[in-house]
Amino acid sequence: MSIYVGNLSYEVTEADLTTVFTEFGSVKRVQLPLDRETGQVRGFGFVEMNTDAEEATAIEALDGAEWMGRDMKVNKAKPREERGNSFGGRQRNRSFSRGY
């Protein structure tokens, strides 16, 4: 199981998140996705802890908690969905007739 942590400050670091979640158990991994263009933190992240019980305790304690000037959103991470192409998931006919 993984924990989704949203509405984070753009100043947050992986070390900051690790420190907060360590209060509820052992943290296995922290991931903060970066914006491709700016290299800045995107305002959300993921935390994995050693046991489901530790994760449940952290979710209950931290969801809605104010931290670094923001109210965190903390819940179970949903499995990543496969993304379709940029045409709304439909295949587009790529052969064109110019009609010249």
Side-chain angles (χ1 to χ4, degrees):
M1 179 170 119
S2 185
I3 300 171
Y4 166 83
V5 186
N7 200 33
L8 292 173
S9 166
Y10 295 107
E11 311 295 314
V12 72
T13 66
E14 289 182 4
D16 294 332
L17 267 184
T18 300
T19 299
V20 169
F21 278 83
T22 299
E23 293 181 32
F24 305 97
S26 299
V27 174
K28 287 188 346 187
R29 185 174 80 125
V30 172
Q31 180 183 11
L32 289 172
L34 302 178
D35 183 272
R36 290 181 194 155
E37 293 179 22
T38 66
Q40 299 286 340
V41 172
R42 295 176 63 191
F44 68 92
F46 300 93
V47 176
E48 290 181 26
M49 299 182 78
N50 278 336
T51 68
D52 288 347
E54 290 173 341
E55 289 182 350
T57 301
I59 289 169
E60 186 173 326
L62 295 174
D63 186 37
E66 190 274 328
W67 184 56
M68 294 180 80
R70 293 173 167 249
D71 294 336
M72 290 192 296
K73 305 292 184 212
V74 183
N75 53 43
K76 286 185 181 182
K78 296 176 182 162
R80 188 173 187 171
E81 294 180 9
E82 290 298 317
R83 294 163 93 180
N85 60 28
S86 62
F87 303 113
R90 296 188 333 211
Q91 286 286 14
R92 195 170 198 191
N93 185 353
R94 297 200 187 275
S95 61
F96 299 98
S97 173
R98 299 251 185 223
Y100 299 88

